[in-house]
Amino acid sequence: MCKLVLKPFLNLFCVAIDLLILPLFMNENINITLPDGAVRQYTKGATALDIAKSISEGLARKVLAAEINGQVWDVTRPINGDASFKLLTWDDNGGKNTFWHSSAHLMAEAIESMFPGVKFWVGPPVDNGFYYDVDLGDNTINEEDLRKLEVKMAELAKQNNNYIRKEISKTDAVNYFSEKGDEYKLDLLQGLQDGEITIYTQGGFTDLCRGPHIPATGFIKAIKLTNIAGAYWKGDEKNKQLTRIYGVTFPSQKQLDEYLVLLEEAKKRDHRKLGKELGIYTMDDDVGQGLIMWMPKGTVIIEELEKLAKETENDGGYKRVVTPHIAKESMYLTSGHLPYYADSMYPPMEMDGEKYYLKSMNCPHHHKIYAAEPKSYRDLPYRIAEYGTVYRYEQSGELFGLMRVRCLHMNDAHIYCTKEQFNEEFRAVNDMYLKYFKIFGIDKYVMRLSLHSPDKLGIKYVNDPELWIETEAMVRQVMTEANIPFVEVQDEAAFYGPKIDVQIYSVIGREFTLATNQVDFSQGRSFKLHYTTQDNSIETPLIIHRAPLGTHERFIGFLLEHYAGKLPVWLAPVQAKILPISDKFTAYAKDVLQQLKKWDIRVEIDDRSEKIGRKIRDTELMKVPYMLVIGEKEVTENKVAIRRQGKGDLGTKSVDEFLKEIVEEVKERRE
Ligand SMILES: [Zn+2]
Ligand SMILES: [Zn+2]
C-alpha cells in the first residue's frame, strides 16, 4: 500500500529534480546514439529508463533491459558517458534472457523461503526459460513442491520488488557469503577481481551476480516450473550432484498458455519420436553415436529430395560430380581447415606414411575438379553439384537426433564465376531457395547477411579489407535489387567471405538454421584457381558455396516436425495402402496393386485378417496419405473406395480415375 501512495510523489520529485539539474549542468551532457543513427543529448547519469520515457511512456513500460555500447545493462543503471544505445523488450533476445535470468533469481528467493539454508550455484537463462542449480542439503524436491514454488513466486512477483544492483568490495562479498554459509558463491568469488563484483537484491534475496536484471519482479506475470534434474557441480561427475530446477516465465498469462499448447504440439511432432514410429531412421551403438542409418522408408524421402534437387540444378545449369570421402592432409592444409578446424574433424588415418582425413566439407574436392582442366572466361560460370557425404566431429553432448549428427549428406554445389557474373549467379541461388520454400510451404523465414568485423581481420577473417567491403556490397546489392527482406549481422561471416544465412521456422515456430549462401574470394587464391580473361590475362574466380536444402539429416528432421509426419504424397514413403475388407477380395486387391505399381506409385496391401476398422486405424497411424478400401461392391463395380489421411471418405472411383489424380498430385509435388 505504502508503495502505491509513494510512487507518484517520487516521480513528481524526480521530474522536479531533473528540471533543476538540467540548466545547472548543461556542460555535463552525454551523447546517446539511437539505433537509427540519431544522436540525442541527455544529462550525464541518465538511465535507459529515463531515455525510454523521453521517447514514449508506453515504450518505457515494456523495456526490460538496454544495450549500451553492445553490452546488456540494467535500465536503472546510470550512463555516464557517450554511448550507442538500444532498448530491449521481450521481442529481443537480450530482453528475454534478462527476463528469464531475473526469474531465476525470483525462483531462488522462493526456494530459499521454502528450504532455508539452501545453497546456490548458478542460474542462467536457456533457450526456453531458465534454471538454477541448487544444493538442497538433506531435503528433496518433487513435482508437488514445484507447484508450491510457483505459488510462492507469483506472490513475490506481485510485491513488485525492484532488482537493486550494488557494487561491492571482494572482502564484503566474501564476508556476506561466508556468513550465509554458501560455499558455491565463495567458489565463484575466488575467480573474481576486486572492483568487478556486484550483487543484486530483490525483496529478501541477495545474489552474487554480474547482471543485468529487469527493473522489478512485477514484470513477471506467468510462471511455470517445468522440470527437476540432477546436475554435477561444474559438470564434473566426480563432484557433488546438485538439483537443477527448470522453469519458464512470461510477461502475460496468455503467452504462457500459448507456450504450453505449443509445447504439447512440439512433443507430438518431435522428429525423434516420429522417426522411430514411422520407421524413418535408426542409430546403433555398434555403428557409433551420431551416425544415422536411413531405413527403407527414410531412403525413399532421401531419393525424392535428391530427385527434386537434381531437376532444379539441371534447370539451373549445374553439372553433377562425385568425389571420395577422404583426402590427404596436404589438401586440408591448403584449404585452411587444418589446423584451424581440426577439432571438428575426425582424427586422421595413417597409411603409407601419409595422413588421410574424412572430409568435413566438399569444397576442396570440388576446387580440384575445377583445376583439373584449364578454364577460360567462356567456361564460366562453372557450376558443379553433389549430394556430398561429410563427417564432422560433434561433441557427444551436442549430438541431437537428426539435428546434430556426425555424418551428413549435403545438398552442396559450388559456382565459379567472374565478378561481372556474380550478381546474376547469387540471385539465381536465392531464387532457388525461394522456389524450395514454396514447395515445402515454408512461409516464415529470415535471411541474414553475415558481415565480417574489421578488428578481427587476419584472426577470424581473411585479411583483405577492400575485398570484404566490395563483396559485402555486392551481396547487399543483390538482396536489395531482388527485394528480398534481410537483416545485417556483424561478425558472423565465414572465414573467406560474407554469407547469407537462412533460418526457417516450422509450423510450430521452431527455428532451424537451414543453410547458407556464401561468397568466397579467398579459397580460389589458396587453391590457385584461374581462368583466362577475354584479353588473355589470368584471373581468380569468385566462388559461391550454397546448400539450399541443407543436409538430408537436418532437412528431413525439419520436414517430419513441419508436417507432423504427414508428408505430402510426393514425399510419402508409402503413398497408398490397399485395405481389402476380407480375404475374399485379396486377388482383386493384388490386381489394383499391380496397376498402381506400373505408374510408380509406392503402394502396399494390408492383407492381415484384421477388421477393416483396425486396418484403417493402423494406416492412419503410419500417416499413409491414401487408403483404398476394397469390398464386395468395389470388386463388382471394378472400383476402389478412397479415404484420405486426415480428410476421411472421398467416395468411390475407378482405379484409372484415382491413378490420374495421384500421378498428377505427385508430379506437381502438391503440398
Ligand atoms: Zn543475476
Ligand atoms: Zn563449399
Side-chain angles (χ1 to χ4, degrees), residues 391-449:
Y391 299 85
R392 293 194 184 157
Y393 187 76
E394 297 277 0
Q395 297 292 320
S396 59
E398 307 260 293
L399 296 172
F400 177 74
L402 290 174
M403 294 301 157
R404 277 194 179 268
V405 295
R406 287 182 176 162
C407 172
L408 319 99
H409 299 81
M410 189 180 279
N411 172 225
D412 217 349
H414 295 92
I415 301 167
Y416 303 80
C417 65
T418 67
K419 262 186 202 166
E420 294 69 42
Q421 292 164 338
F422 173 81
N423 192 304
E424 200 177 320
E425 291 302 308
F426 201 77
R427 190 172 177 151
V429 171
N430 273 330
D431 288 347
M432 197 180 277
Y433 278 85
L434 298 178
K435 177 196 156 169
Y436 287 140
F437 291 171
K438 208 163 166 213
I439 291 176
F440 296 103
I442 300 165
D443 38 28
K444 220 183 144 205
Y445 58 87
V446 174
M447 296 213 179
R448 294 194 321 173
L449 167 54

Side-chain angles (χ1 to χ4, degrees), residues 390-665:
V390 298
Y391 299 85
R392 293 194 184 157
Y393 187 76
E394 297 277 0
Q395 297 292 320
S396 59
E398 307 260 293
L399 296 172
F400 177 74
L402 290 174
M403 294 301 157
R404 277 194 179 268
V405 295
R406 287 182 176 162
C407 172
L408 319 99
H409 299 81
M410 189 180 279
N411 172 225
D412 217 349
H414 295 92
I415 301 167
Y416 303 80
C417 65
T418 67
K419 262 186 202 166
E420 294 69 42
Q421 292 164 338
F422 173 81
N423 192 304
E424 200 177 320
E425 291 302 308
F426 201 77
R427 190 172 177 151
V429 171
N430 273 330
D431 288 347
M432 197 180 277
Y433 278 85
L434 298 178
K435 177 196 156 169
Y436 287 140
F437 291 171
K438 208 163 166 213
I439 291 176
F440 296 103
I442 300 165
D443 38 28
K444 220 183 144 205
Y445 58 87
V446 174
M447 296 213 179
R448 294 194 321 173
L449 167 54
S450 299
L451 308 167
H452 80 296
S453 171
D455 52 334
K456 291 182 186 155
L457 284 171
I459 307 162
K460 196 174 161 189
Y461 304 109
V462 175
N463 194 0
D464 199 328
E466 276 162 31
L467 267 174
W468 276 105
I469 308 270
E470 189 182 353
T471 47
E472 286 173 358
M474 283 160 74
V475 177
R476 199 177 285 121
Q477 192 191 348
V478 179
M479 300 300 283
T480 312
E481 280 174 9
N483 233 340
I484 300 172
F486 67 100
V487 290
E488 298 197 11
V489 212
Q490 295 288 337
D491 197 15
E492 295 269 321
F495 177 63
Y496 44 68
K499 59 178 181 169
I500 297 288
D501 282 314
V502 185
Q503 274 158 316
I504 55 174
Y505 297 83
S506 72
V507 176
I508 49 169
R510 205 181 298 199
E511 179 186 323
F512 295 80
T513 299
L514 184 62
T516 56
N517 185 6
Q518 309 181 345
V519 195
D520 174 356
F521 53 78
S522 166
Q523 288 213 355
R525 289 188 294 196
S526 311
F527 278 84
K528 302 193 168 56
L529 305 184
H530 297 132
Y531 66 92
T532 322
T533 63
Q534 209 157 356
D535 50 23
N536 256 328
S537 64
I538 298 294
E539 284 276 355
T540 300
L542 275 177
I543 305 170
I544 298 172
H545 304 245
R546 43 113 283 181
L549 295 177
T551 65
H552 280 323
E553 285 70 20
R554 190 168 282 196
F555 196 61
I556 292 175
F558 166 79
L559 290 179
L560 287 173
E561 300 194 356
H562 182 64
Y563 291 120
K566 294 170 196 153
L567 297 168
V569 178
W570 70 276
L571 272 179
V574 178
Q575 296 167 318
K577 194 124 182 173
I578 304 172
L579 312 177
I581 288 175
S582 86
D583 295 349
K584 277 194 292 179
F585 314 117
T586 310
Y588 177 75
K590 282 187 176 157
D591 182 47
V592 173
L593 179 95
Q594 288 313 324
Q595 292 184 61
L596 296 185
K597 278 198 159 175
K598 254 185 227 153
W599 285 87
D600 291 329
I601 299 303
R602 297 185 288 270
V603 56
E604 291 176 354
I605 292 187
D606 185 349
D607 54 6
R608 296 175 302 164
S609 35
E610 293 286 353
K611 292 236 161 58
I612 187 67
R614 173 71 189 272
K615 289 186 183 182
I616 290 175
R617 235 178 3 260
D618 288 351
T619 315
E620 289 267 2
L621 280 177
M622 290 308 287
K623 326 245 187 250
V624 176
Y626 283 106
M627 284 160 264
L628 309 180
V629 180
I630 288 168
E632 188 76 58
K633 187 165 165 274
E634 285 73 30
V635 176
T636 325
E637 292 178 5
N638 200 20
K639 287 188 169 170
V640 287
I642 300 163
R643 286 183 72 85
R644 182 77 156 94
Q645 158 90 253
K647 285 190 188 145
D649 199 347
L650 294 187
T652 307
K653 285 177 186 164
S654 76
V655 176
D656 280 348
E657 229 178 316
F658 171 69
L659 255 173
K660 195 167 162 259
E661 285 174 16
I662 191 173
V663 167
E664 192 83 347
E665 192 175 349

Side-chain angles (χ1 to χ4, degrees), residues 79 117 183 472:
I79 305 166
E183 68 257 31
E472 286 173 358

